[in-house]
Coordinates of all heavy atoms in Angstrom, one line a residue:
M77 N -16.2 7.5 -12.7 CA -16.7 6.9 -11.5 C -15.8 5.7 -11.1 O -15.3 4.9 -11.9 CB -18.0 6.3 -11.8 CG -18.8 5.9 -10.6 SD -20.5 5.4 -11.0 CE -20.5 3.8 -10.3
S78 N -15.5 5.6 -9.9 CA -14.6 4.5 -9.4 C -15.4 3.3 -9.1 O -16.5 3.3 -8.6 CB -13.8 4.9 -8.2 OG -14.6 5.3 -7.1
V79 N -14.7 2.1 -9.2 CA -15.4 0.8 -9.0 C -14.5 0.0 -8.0 O -13.3 0.1 -8.2 CB -15.5 0.0 -10.4 CG1 -16.1 -1.4 -10.1 CG2 -16.4 0.8 -11.3
A80 N -15.1 -0.6 -7.0 CA -14.3 -1.5 -6.2 C -14.0 -2.8 -6.8 O -15.0 -3.5 -7.3 CB -15.1 -1.6 -4.8
T81 N -12.8 -3.2 -6.9 CA -12.4 -4.5 -7.5 C -11.7 -5.3 -6.5 O -10.8 -4.9 -5.7 CB -11.4 -4.1 -8.7 OG1 -11.9 -3.2 -9.5 CG2 -10.9 -5.3 -9.4
T82 N -12.1 -6.6 -6.6 CA -11.5 -7.6 -5.6 C -10.1 -7.8 -6.1 O -9.8 -8.1 -7.2 CB -12.3 -8.9 -5.7 OG1 -13.6 -8.6 -5.3 CG2 -11.7 -9.9 -4.8
I83 N -9.2 -7.7 -5.1 CA -7.7 -7.8 -5.4 C -7.1 -8.9 -4.6 O -6.1 -9.5 -5.1 CB -7.1 -6.4 -5.0 CG1 -5.7 -6.3 -5.6 CG2 -6.9 -6.3 -3.5 CD1 -5.2 -4.9 -5.6
A84 N -7.7 -9.4 -3.5 CA -7.1 -10.5 -2.8 C -8.1 -11.0 -1.7 O -9.1 -10.3 -1.5 CB -5.8 -10.1 -2.1
S85 N -7.7 -12.1 -1.1 CA -8.5 -12.6 0.1 C -7.8 -12.0 1.3 O -6.5 -11.9 1.3 CB -8.5 -14.1 0.1 OG -8.7 -14.6 1.3
V86 N -8.5 -11.7 2.4 CA -7.8 -11.2 3.6 C -6.8 -12.3 4.1 O -5.8 -11.9 4.8 CB -8.9 -11.0 4.7 CG1 -9.8 -9.8 4.3 CG2 -9.7 -12.2 5.1
D87 N -7.0 -13.5 3.8 CA -6.0 -14.6 4.3 C -4.7 -14.5 3.6 O -3.7 -15.1 4.1 CB -6.6 -16.0 4.0 CG -7.9 -16.3 4.7 OD1 -8.2 -15.5 5.7 OD2 -8.6 -17.1 4.2
E88 N -4.6 -13.8 2.5 CA -3.3 -13.7 1.7 C -2.3 -12.8 2.4 O -1.2 -12.9 2.0 CB -3.6 -13.3 0.3 CG -4.4 -14.3 -0.6 CD -4.6 -13.8 -1.9 OE1 -3.6 -13.4 -2.7 OE2 -5.8 -13.7 -2.3
I89 N -2.7 -11.9 3.3 CA -1.8 -11.0 3.8 C -1.9 -11.0 5.4 O -2.9 -10.7 6.0 CB -2.2 -9.5 3.4 CG1 -2.3 -9.5 1.9 CG2 -1.2 -8.5 3.8 CD1 -3.0 -8.2 1.3
A90 N -0.8 -11.6 5.9 CA -0.8 -11.7 7.5 C -0.7 -10.3 8.1 O -0.3 -9.4 7.5 CB 0.5 -12.5 7.7
E91 N -1.1 -10.4 9.3 CA -1.0 -9.2 10.1 C 0.5 -8.7 10.2 O 1.3 -9.4 10.4 CB -1.6 -9.5 11.6 CG -2.0 -8.2 12.3 CD -2.8 -8.6 13.5 OE1 -3.8 -9.4 13.4 OE2 -2.5 -8.1 14.6
G92 N 0.6 -7.4 9.9 CA 2.0 -6.8 10.0 C 2.8 -6.9 8.8 O 3.9 -6.6 8.7
K93 N 2.1 -7.5 7.7 CA 2.8 -7.7 6.4 C 2.1 -6.9 5.3 O 1.0 -6.4 5.4 CB 2.7 -9.1 6.0 CG 3.3 -10.1 7.1 CD 4.8 -9.9 7.0 CE 5.5 -10.9 7.9 NZ 7.0 -10.6 8.1
G94 N 2.8 -6.8 4.1 CA 2.3 -6.2 2.9 C 2.5 -7.1 1.8 O 3.3 -8.0 1.7
K95 N 1.8 -6.8 0.7 CA 1.9 -7.7 -0.6 C 1.5 -6.8 -1.7 O 0.5 -6.0 -1.5 CB 1.0 -8.9 -0.4 CG 1.3 -10.0 -1.4 CD 0.6 -11.3 -1.1 CE 0.9 -12.3 -2.1 NZ 0.2 -13.6 -1.8
A96 N 2.1 -6.9 -2.8 CA 1.7 -6.2 -4.0 C 0.9 -6.9 -5.1 O 1.2 -8.2 -5.2 CB 3.1 -5.6 -4.7
F97 N 0.0 -6.3 -5.6 CA -0.9 -7.0 -6.7 C -1.0 -6.0 -7.9 O -1.0 -4.8 -7.7 CB -2.3 -7.1 -6.1 CG -2.4 -8.0 -4.8 CD1 -2.1 -7.4 -3.6 CD2 -2.6 -9.4 -5.0 CE1 -2.1 -8.2 -2.4 CE2 -2.5 -10.2 -3.8 CZ -2.3 -9.6 -2.6
D98 N -1.1 -6.6 -9.1 CA -1.4 -5.8 -10.3 C -2.9 -5.7 -10.4 O -3.7 -6.6 -10.3 CB -0.8 -6.6 -11.5 CG 0.7 -6.5 -11.4 OD1 1.3 -5.5 -11.1 OD2 1.3 -7.6 -11.7
L99 N -3.3 -4.4 -10.7 CA -4.7 -4.0 -10.9 C -4.7 -3.2 -12.1 O -4.4 -2.0 -12.0 CB -5.3 -3.4 -9.7 CG -6.8 -3.3 -9.6 CD1 -7.4 -4.7 -9.7 CD2 -7.2 -2.6 -8.4
G100 N -5.0 -3.8 -13.3 CA -4.9 -3.1 -14.6 C -3.5 -2.7 -14.7 O -2.6 -3.4 -14.6
E101 N -3.3 -1.3 -15.0 CA -1.9 -0.8 -15.2 C -1.3 -0.4 -13.9 O 0.0 0.0 -13.9 CB -1.9 0.3 -16.2 CG -2.3 -0.1 -17.5 CD -2.4 1.0 -18.5 OE1 -2.2 2.2 -18.1 OE2 -2.8 0.7 -19.6
K102 N -1.9 -0.5 -12.8 CA -1.4 -0.1 -11.5 C -0.8 -1.3 -10.7 O -1.3 -2.4 -10.9 CB -2.5 0.6 -10.6 CG -3.0 1.8 -11.2 CD -4.1 2.4 -10.3 CE -4.8 3.6 -10.9 NZ -3.9 4.7 -11.1
R103 N 0.2 -1.0 -9.9 CA 0.6 -2.0 -8.9 C 0.3 -1.4 -7.5 O 0.9 -0.4 -7.2 CB 2.1 -2.3 -9.1 CG 2.6 -3.5 -8.3 CD 3.7 -4.2 -9.0 NE 4.3 -5.3 -8.2 CZ 3.7 -6.5 -8.2 NH1 2.7 -6.8 -9.0 NH2 4.2 -7.5 -7.5
I104 N -0.5 -2.2 -6.8 CA -1.0 -1.7 -5.6 C -0.5 -2.5 -4.5 O -0.4 -3.7 -4.5 CB -2.6 -1.8 -5.6 CG1 -3.2 -1.3 -6.8 CG2 -3.2 -1.2 -4.3 CD1 -3.6 0.2 -6.7
A105 N 0.0 -1.8 -3.4 CA 0.5 -2.5 -2.2 C -0.6 -2.6 -1.2 O -1.2 -1.5 -0.9 CB 1.7 -1.8 -1.6
I106 N -0.9 -3.7 -0.6 CA -1.9 -3.8 0.4 C -1.2 -4.2 1.7 O -0.3 -5.1 1.7 CB -2.9 -5.0 0.1 CG1 -3.5 -4.8 -1.3 CG2 -4.1 -5.0 1.2 CD1 -4.6 -3.8 -1.5
F107 N -1.5 -3.6 2.8 CA -1.0 -3.8 4.1 C -2.0 -4.2 5.1 O -3.1 -3.6 5.1 CB -0.2 -2.6 4.6 CG 0.9 -2.2 3.7 CD1 0.7 -1.3 2.7 CD2 2.2 -2.8 3.9 CE1 1.7 -0.9 1.9 CE2 3.2 -2.4 3.0 CZ 2.9 -1.4 2.0
N108 N -1.7 -5.1 6.0 CA -2.6 -5.5 7.1 C -2.0 -5.0 8.3 O -0.9 -5.4 8.9 CB -2.6 -7.0 7.2 CG -3.5 -7.5 8.2 OD1 -3.9 -6.9 9.2 ND2 -3.8 -8.8 8.2
V109 N -2.7 -3.9 8.9 CA -2.2 -3.3 10.1 C -3.2 -3.6 11.2 O -4.3 -3.1 11.3 CB -2.0 -1.8 10.0 CG1 -1.6 -1.2 11.3 CG2 -1.1 -1.4 8.9
A110 N -2.8 -4.7 12.0 CA -3.7 -5.1 13.2 C -5.2 -5.4 12.7 O -6.1 -5.0 13.3 CB -3.7 -4.1 14.3
G111 N -5.2 -6.0 11.5 CA -6.5 -6.4 10.9 C -7.2 -5.4 10.0 O -8.3 -5.6 9.5
K112 N -6.6 -4.1 10.0 CA -7.2 -3.1 9.1 C -6.3 -3.1 7.8 O -5.0 -3.0 8.0 CB -7.1 -1.8 9.8 CG -7.8 -0.6 9.0 CD -8.0 0.6 9.9 CE -8.4 1.8 9.1 NZ -9.5 1.7 8.2
F113 N -6.9 -3.1 6.7 CA -6.2 -3.1 5.4 C -6.1 -1.8 4.8 O -7.1 -0.9 4.8 CB -6.9 -4.1 4.4 CG -6.8 -5.5 5.0 CD1 -7.7 -6.1 5.8 CD2 -5.7 -6.3 4.5 CE1 -7.6 -7.4 6.3 CE2 -5.6 -7.5 5.0 CZ -6.5 -8.2 5.8
H114 N -4.9 -1.5 4.3 CA -4.7 -0.2 3.6 C -4.1 -0.5 2.2 O -3.4 -1.4 2.0 CB -3.6 0.6 4.3 CG -4.0 1.0 5.7 ND1 -4.6 2.2 6.0 CD2 -3.7 0.4 6.9 CE1 -4.8 2.3 7.3 NE2 -4.3 1.2 7.9
A115 N -4.5 0.4 1.2 CA -4.0 0.2 -0.1 C -3.3 1.5 -0.6 O -3.9 2.6 -0.5 CB -5.1 -0.2 -1.1
I116 N -2.1 1.3 -1.2 CA -1.4 2.5 -1.7 C -0.7 2.0 -2.9 O -0.5 0.9 -3.2 CB -0.3 3.1 -0.7 CG1 0.8 2.1 -0.5 CG2 -0.9 3.5 0.6 CD1 2.0 2.6 0.4
D117 N -0.2 3.1 -3.7 CA 0.7 2.7 -4.8 C 1.9 2.0 -4.3 O 2.6 2.5 -3.3 CB 1.1 4.0 -5.6 CG 0.1 4.4 -6.7 OD1 -0.6 3.5 -7.2 OD2 0.1 5.6 -7.0
D118 N 2.3 0.9 -5.0 CA 3.5 0.1 -4.5 C 4.8 0.8 -4.8 O 5.8 0.5 -4.0 CB 3.4 -1.2 -5.2 CG 4.5 -2.2 -4.6 OD1 4.6 -2.3 -3.4 OD2 5.3 -2.8 -5.4
E119 N 4.8 1.6 -5.8 CA 6.2 2.2 -6.2 C 6.5 3.4 -5.4 O 5.8 4.4 -5.3 CB 6.0 2.6 -7.7 CG 7.4 3.1 -8.2 CD 7.3 3.4 -9.8 OE1 6.5 2.8 -10.5 OE2 8.0 4.3 -10.2
C120 N 7.7 3.3 -4.7 CA 8.2 4.5 -3.9 C 8.5 5.6 -5.0 O 9.2 5.4 -6.0 CB 9.4 4.1 -3.2 SG 10.1 5.5 -2.3
P121 N 8.0 6.9 -4.7 CA 8.2 7.9 -5.5 C 9.7 8.5 -5.6 O 10.0 9.3 -6.5 CB 7.3 9.1 -5.0 CG 7.1 8.7 -3.7 CD 7.2 7.2 -3.5
H122 N 10.5 8.0 -4.7 CA 11.9 8.4 -4.8 C 12.7 7.7 -5.9 O 13.2 8.4 -6.8 CB 12.6 8.2 -3.4 CG 14.1 8.5 -3.5 ND1 15.1 7.5 -3.2 CD2 14.7 9.6 -3.8 CE1 16.2 8.1 -3.3 NE2 16.0 9.4 -3.7
A123 N 12.7 6.4 -5.9 CA 13.5 5.7 -7.0 C 12.9 4.4 -7.3 O 13.5 3.5 -7.9 CB 14.9 5.5 -6.5
G124 N 11.6 4.2 -7.0 CA 10.8 3.1 -7.5 C 10.9 1.8 -6.7 O 10.5 0.8 -7.2
A125 N 11.3 1.7 -5.5 CA 11.3 0.5 -4.7 C 9.9 0.1 -4.5 O 9.0 0.8 -4.6 CB 12.0 0.7 -3.3
S126 N 9.7 -1.3 -4.3 CA 8.4 -1.8 -3.9 C 8.1 -1.6 -2.4 O 8.8 -2.2 -1.6 CB 8.4 -3.4 -4.2 OG 7.2 -3.9 -3.7
L127 N 7.2 -0.7 -2.1 CA 6.8 -0.4 -0.7 C 6.3 -1.6 0.0 O 6.4 -1.7 1.2 CB 5.9 0.8 -0.7 CG 6.6 2.1 -1.2 CD1 5.6 3.2 -1.2 CD2 7.8 2.5 -0.2
S128 N 5.7 -2.6 -0.7 CA 5.1 -3.8 -0.2 C 6.2 -4.6 0.6 O 6.0 -5.4 1.5 CB 4.4 -4.7 -1.1 OG 5.3 -5.2 -2.1
E129 N 7.4 -4.3 0.2 CA 8.6 -5.1 0.8 C 9.3 -4.2 1.9 O 10.3 -4.5 2.3 CB 9.6 -5.4 -0.3 CG 9.0 -6.4 -1.3 CD 9.9 -6.6 -2.5 OE1 11.1 -6.2 -2.4 OE2 9.5 -7.2 -3.4
G130 N 8.6 -3.1 2.2 CA 9.2 -2.2 3.2 C 8.9 -2.6 4.6 O 8.5 -3.8 4.9
H131 N 9.2 -1.7 5.6 CA 9.2 -2.0 7.0 C 8.0 -1.3 7.6 O 7.9 -0.2 7.5 CB 10.5 -1.5 7.7 CG 11.7 -1.8 7.0 ND1 12.3 -3.1 7.0 CD2 12.5 -1.1 6.1 CE1 13.4 -3.1 6.2 NE2 13.4 -1.9 5.7
L132 N 7.0 -2.2 8.0 CA 5.8 -1.7 8.5 C 6.0 -1.4 10.0 O 6.4 -2.2 10.8 CB 4.7 -2.7 8.4 CG 3.3 -2.4 8.4 CD1 2.9 -1.2 7.5 CD2 2.4 -3.6 8.1
E133 N 5.6 -0.2 10.4 CA 5.8 0.2 11.8 C 4.6 1.1 12.2 O 4.5 2.2 11.7 CB 7.1 1.0 12.1 CG 7.4 1.0 13.5 CD 8.9 1.4 13.7 OE1 9.8 0.9 13.0 OE2 9.1 2.4 14.5
G134 N 3.7 0.5 13.1 CA 2.5 1.3 13.4 C 1.6 1.4 12.1 O 1.5 0.5 11.4
G135 N 1.3 2.7 11.8 CA 0.5 2.9 10.6 C 1.4 3.4 9.5 O 0.8 4.0 8.5
N136 N 2.7 3.2 9.5 CA 3.6 3.8 8.5 C 4.4 2.7 7.9 O 4.6 1.7 8.4 CB 4.6 4.8 9.2 CG 3.9 5.9 9.9 OD1 2.7 6.3 9.6 ND2 4.5 6.4 11.0
I137 N 4.7 3.0 6.7 CA 5.6 2.1 5.8 C 6.9 2.8 5.5 O 7.0 3.9 5.0 CB 4.9 1.6 4.6 CG1 5.8 0.5 3.9 CG2 4.5 2.6 3.6 CD1 5.8 -0.9 4.6
G138 N 8.0 2.0 5.8 CA 9.3 2.5 5.5 C 9.8 1.9 4.2 O 9.8 0.7 4.1
C139 N 10.3 2.7 3.3 CA 10.8 2.2 2.0 C 12.1 1.3 2.2 O 12.9 1.6 3.0 CB 11.3 3.3 1.1 SG 11.9 2.8 -0.4
P140 N 12.1 0.1 1.6 CA 13.2 -0.8 1.9 C 14.6 -0.4 1.3 O 15.6 -0.9 1.7 CB 12.7 -2.1 1.2 CG 11.8 -1.6 0.0 CD 11.1 -0.4 0.6
W141 N 14.5 0.6 0.4 CA 15.8 1.1 -0.2 C 16.5 2.2 0.5 O 17.6 2.0 0.9 CB 15.7 1.4 -1.7 CG 15.4 0.3 -2.6 CD1 15.3 -1.1 -2.3 CD2 15.2 0.3 -4.0 NE1 15.1 -1.8 -3.4 CE2 15.0 -1.0 -4.5 CE3 15.1 1.4 -5.0 CZ2 14.7 -1.3 -5.8 CZ3 14.9 1.0 -6.3 CH2 14.7 -0.3 -6.7
H142 N 15.8 3.3 0.7 CA 16.5 4.4 1.3 C 15.7 5.0 2.4 O 16.0 6.1 2.9 CB 16.8 5.6 0.2 CG 17.3 5.0 -1.1 ND1 16.5 5.0 -2.2 CD2 18.5 4.5 -1.4 CE1 17.2 4.5 -3.2 NE2 18.4 4.2 -2.7
Y143 N 14.8 4.3 3.0 CA 14.1 4.5 4.2 C 13.2 5.8 4.3 O 13.0 6.3 5.4 CB 15.1 4.5 5.4 CG 15.9 3.2 5.3 CD1 17.3 3.3 4.9 CD2 15.3 2.0 5.6 CE1 18.0 2.1 4.8 CE2 16.1 0.8 5.5 CZ 17.4 0.9 5.1 OH 18.2 -0.3 5.0
A144 N 12.8 6.3 3.2 CA 11.7 7.2 3.2 C 10.5 6.6 4.0 O 10.4 5.4 3.9 CB 11.3 7.7 1.8
E145 N 9.6 7.3 4.5 CA 8.5 6.8 5.3 C 7.2 7.5 4.8 O 7.2 8.7 4.6 CB 8.7 6.9 6.8 CG 7.9 6.1 7.6 CD 8.4 6.2 9.1 OE1 9.4 6.8 9.4 OE2 7.7 5.6 9.9
F146 N 6.1 6.7 4.8 CA 4.8 7.1 4.4 C 3.8 6.7 5.4 O 3.8 5.6 5.9 CB 4.5 6.5 3.0 CG 5.6 6.9 1.9 CD1 6.6 6.0 1.7 CD2 5.5 8.0 1.2 CE1 7.6 6.4 0.8 CE2 6.4 8.3 0.2 CZ 7.6 7.4 0.1
E147 N 2.8 7.6 5.6 CA 1.7 7.3 6.4 C 0.6 6.5 5.6 O 0.2 7.0 4.6 CB 1.1 8.6 6.9 CG 0.0 8.4 7.9 CD -0.4 9.7 8.6 OE1 -0.9 10.6 7.8 OE2 -0.2 9.9 9.8
L148 N 0.2 5.3 6.0 CA -0.6 4.4 5.1 C -2.0 5.0 5.0 O -2.7 5.0 4.0 CB -0.6 3.1 5.7 CG 0.5 2.3 5.6 CD1 0.4 0.9 6.4 CD2 1.0 2.0 4.1
A149 N -2.5 5.7 6.1 CA -3.9 6.2 6.0 C -4.0 7.4 5.0 O -5.1 7.5 4.4 CB -4.3 6.7 7.4
T150 N -3.0 8.1 4.8 CA -3.1 9.3 4.0 C -2.1 9.3 2.8 O -2.3 10.1 1.8 CB -2.7 10.6 4.8 OG1 -1.3 10.5 5.2 CG2 -3.6 10.7 6.1
G151 N -1.1 8.5 2.8 CA -0.1 8.5 1.7 C 0.9 9.6 1.9 O 2.0 9.6 1.1
K152 N 0.8 10.4 2.8 CA 1.7 11.5 3.1 C 3.1 11.0 3.3 O 3.3 10.0 4.1 CB 1.2 12.3 4.3 CG 1.9 13.5 4.6 CD 1.3 14.2 5.8 CE 2.2 15.2 6.3 NZ 1.8 15.6 7.7
H153 N 4.1 11.7 2.8 CA 5.5 11.2 3.1 C 5.9 12.0 4.4 O 5.6 13.2 4.6 CB 6.5 11.5 1.9 CG 6.9 13.0 1.7 ND1 6.1 13.9 1.3 CD2 8.1 13.6 2.0 CE1 6.7 15.1 1.3 NE2 7.9 14.9 1.7
L154 N 6.6 11.2 5.2 CA 7.0 11.7 6.5 C 8.4 12.2 6.6 O 8.7 13.1 7.4 CB 6.8 10.7 7.6 CG 5.3 10.2 7.6 CD1 5.2 9.0 8.5 CD2 4.3 11.2 8.1
H155 N 9.3 11.7 5.7 CA 10.6 12.3 5.7 C 11.4 11.9 4.4 O 10.9 11.0 3.7 CB 11.5 12.0 7.0 CG 11.7 10.5 7.2 ND1 12.5 9.7 6.5 CD2 11.1 9.6 8.1 CE1 12.5 8.6 6.9 NE2 11.7 8.4 8.0
A156 N 12.5 12.6 4.1 CA 13.3 12.3 3.0 C 13.9 10.9 3.0 O 13.9 10.2 4.0 CB 14.5 13.4 3.0
P157 N 14.3 10.5 1.8 CA 14.6 11.2 0.6 C 13.3 11.4 -0.3 O 13.5 12.1 -1.3 CB 15.7 10.4 -0.2 CG 15.4 9.0 0.3 CD 14.9 9.2 1.7
A158 N 12.2 10.8 -0.1 CA 11.0 11.0 -0.9 C 10.6 12.5 -0.7 O 10.8 13.1 0.4 CB 9.9 10.2 -0.5
T159 N 10.1 13.2 -1.7 CA 9.7 14.6 -1.6 C 8.2 14.7 -1.9 O 7.7 15.8 -2.0 CB 10.5 15.4 -2.6 OG1 10.2 14.9 -3.9 CG2 11.9 15.4 -2.4
C160 N 7.5 13.6 -2.1 CA 6.1 13.6 -2.1 C 5.5 12.3 -1.7 O 6.2 11.4 -1.4 CB 5.7 13.8 -3.7 SG 6.2 12.5 -4.7
G161 N 4.2 12.3 -1.5 CA 3.6 11.1 -1.0 C 3.2 10.2 -2.1 O 3.5 10.3 -3.2
V162 N 2.4 9.2 -1.6 CA 1.8 8.1 -2.6 C 0.3 8.2 -2.6 O -0.3 8.7 -1.6 CB 2.3 6.7 -2.2 CG1 3.8 6.6 -2.4 CG2 1.9 6.4 -0.8
T163 N -0.3 7.7 -3.7 CA -1.8 7.6 -3.7 C -2.3 6.6 -2.8 O -1.8 5.5 -2.8 CB -2.2 7.4 -5.2 OG1 -1.7 8.4 -6.0 CG2 -3.7 7.3 -5.3
V164 N -3.4 6.9 -2.1 CA -4.0 5.9 -1.2 C -5.4 5.6 -1.9 O -6.0 6.5 -2.5 CB -4.4 6.6 0.1 CG1 -5.3 5.8 1.0 CG2 -3.1 6.9 0.9
Y165 N -5.7 4.4 -1.9 CA -7.0 3.9 -2.4 C -7.9 3.4 -1.4 O -7.5 2.7 -0.4 CB -6.8 2.7 -3.4 CG -5.8 3.2 -4.5 CD1 -4.4 2.9 -4.5 CD2 -6.2 3.9 -5.6 CE1 -3.5 3.4 -5.4 CE2 -5.4 4.3 -6.7 CZ -4.0 4.1 -6.5 OH -3.2 4.5 -7.5
P166 N -9.2 3.7 -1.4 CA -10.2 3.2 -0.5 C -10.3 1.7 -0.6 O -10.3 1.0 -1.6 CB -11.5 3.8 -0.9 CG -11.1 5.0 -1.8 CD -9.9 4.6 -2.4
V167 N -10.4 1.0 0.7 CA -10.5 -0.4 0.8 C -11.8 -0.7 1.4 O -12.3 -0.2 2.3 CB -9.3 -0.9 1.6 CG1 -9.5 -2.4 1.9 CG2 -8.0 -0.6 1.0
Q168 N -12.4 -1.8 0.9 CA -13.7 -2.4 1.4 C -13.4 -3.9 1.7 O -12.7 -4.5 0.8 CB -14.8 -2.3 0.5 CG -15.2 -0.9 0.1 CD -16.1 -0.9 -1.1 OE1 -16.8 -1.8 -1.4 NE2 -16.2 0.3 -1.7
I169 N -13.9 -4.4 2.7 CA -13.8 -5.9 3.0 C -15.2 -6.4 2.9 O -16.1 -5.9 3.6 CB -13.2 -6.1 4.4 CG1 -11.9 -5.5 4.6 CG2 -13.1 -7.7 4.6 CD1 -10.8 -5.9 3.7
E170 N -15.4 -7.4 2.0 CA -16.7 -8.0 1.9 C -16.5 -9.5 1.7 O -15.8 -10.0 0.8 CB -17.4 -7.5 0.6 CG -18.1 -6.2 0.7 CD -18.8 -5.8 -0.5 OE1 -19.2 -6.6 -1.4 OE2 -18.7 -4.5 -0.8
G171 N -17.1 -10.3 2.6 CA -17.0 -11.7 2.5 C -15.6 -12.2 2.5 O -15.4 -13.2 1.8
G172 N -14.8 -11.6 3.3 CA -13.4 -12.1 3.4 C -12.5 -11.7 2.2 O -11.4 -12.1 2.1
Q173 N -13.1 -10.9 1.3 CA -12.3 -10.4 0.1 C -11.9 -8.9 0.3 O -12.7 -8.1 0.9 CB -13.2 -10.5 -1.1 CG -13.6 -12.0 -1.4 CD -12.5 -12.8 -1.8 OE1 -11.7 -12.6 -2.6 NE2 -12.4 -13.9 -0.9
I174 N -10.8 -8.6 -0.2 CA -10.3 -7.2 -0.1 C -10.6 -6.6 -1.5 O -10.2 -7.0 -2.5 CB -8.8 -7.1 0.1 CG1 -8.4 -7.8 1.4 CG2 -8.3 -5.7 0.1 CD1 -6.9 -8.1 1.6
K175 N -11.4 -5.5 -1.4 CA -11.8 -4.7 -2.7 C -11.2 -3.4 -2.5 O -11.2 -2.7 -1.6 CB -13.3 -4.6 -2.7 CG -14.0 -5.9 -2.9 CD -15.5 -5.7 -3.2 CE -16.0 -7.1 -3.6 NZ -17.4 -6.8 -4.2
V176 N -10.6 -2.9 -3.6 CA -9.9 -1.6 -3.7 C -10.6 -0.8 -4.8 O -10.9 -1.3 -5.9 CB -8.4 -1.9 -4.1 CG1 -7.7 -0.5 -4.2 CG2 -7.7 -2.7 -3.0
E177 N -10.8 0.4 -4.5 CA -11.4 1.4 -5.4 C -10.4 2.2 -6.1 O -9.6 2.9 -5.5 CB -12.2 2.5 -4.6 CG -13.7 2.2 -4.5 CD -14.5 3.2 -3.8 OE1 -14.3 4.4 -4.2 OE2 -15.1 2.9 -2.8
V178 N -10.3 2.0 -7.4 CA -9.4 2.8 -8.3 C -10.3 3.5 -9.4 O -11.3 3.0 -9.7 CB -8.3 1.9 -8.9 CG1 -7.3 1.4 -7.9 CG2 -8.9 0.9 -9.8
E179 N -9.8 4.6 -9.8 CA -10.7 5.3 -10.7 C -10.4 4.7 -12.2 O -9.6 4.0 -12.4 CB -10.3 6.8 -10.8 CG -9.0 7.2 -11.3 CD -7.8 6.8 -10.3 OE1 -8.1 6.7 -9.2 OE2 -6.6 6.8 -10.8
Ligands
FES363 S1 13.4 4.2 -3.5 FE1 12.2 4.6 -1.6 S2 13.4 6.0 -0.5 FE2 14.6 5.6 -2.3

């Protein structure tokens, strides 16, 4: 069963920005897209870059190293060099806190 864990305050991530947080053994990247928060695995499946440091454009994140792109809502990879997507985690906002559901 998955449990929603508080990972950050909404104030910690400015609109149009991302930030990575450790949650147990996972490193999760949270993005603020026009006030909507998304959570994905921070590690790019191509060669391990931190996606939280990537380029946010619309609802997509571009890897800062070799520019693979992922859709934040689904984790789907949109183009090479990545050959697979990233895990997406459900996000809840409660009392100004960002909660992420991990299994
Ligand atoms: S590490 Fe992300 S595209 Fe290469």
Side-chain angles (χ1 to χ4, degrees):
M77 192 176 126
S78 58
V79 177
T81 304
T82 299
I83 199 166
S85 155
V86 293
D87 301 337
E88 291 179 59
I89 308 165
E91 200 168 309
K93 300 289 184 193
K95 194 169 178 181
F97 300 88
D98 290 318
L99 193 58
E101 293 178 357
K102 297 179 186 294
R103 188 147 178 88
I104 311 269
I106 309 281
F107 298 93
N108 178 346
V109 181
K112 182 168 170 52
F113 291 87
H114 297 271
I116 64 171
D117 274 332
D118 185 48
E119 185 177 330
C120 179
H122 175 237
S126 171
L127 293 174
S128 66
E129 295 172 12
H131 315 283
L132 196 55
E133 200 168 307
N136 302 331
I137 184 71
C139 179
W141 286 1
H142 316 107
Y143 309 108
E145 197 170 356
F146 304 89
E147 187 176 59
L148 290 175
T150 63
K152 185 178 162 199
H153 78 287
L154 301 174
H155 60 76
T159 57
C160 63
V162 292
T163 301
V164 171
Y165 301 95
V167 173
Q168 301 167 18
I169 306 297
E170 275 180 36
Q173 302 295 306
I174 302 168
K175 296 184 168 199
V176 177
E177 262 182 55
V178 294
E179 66 285 345

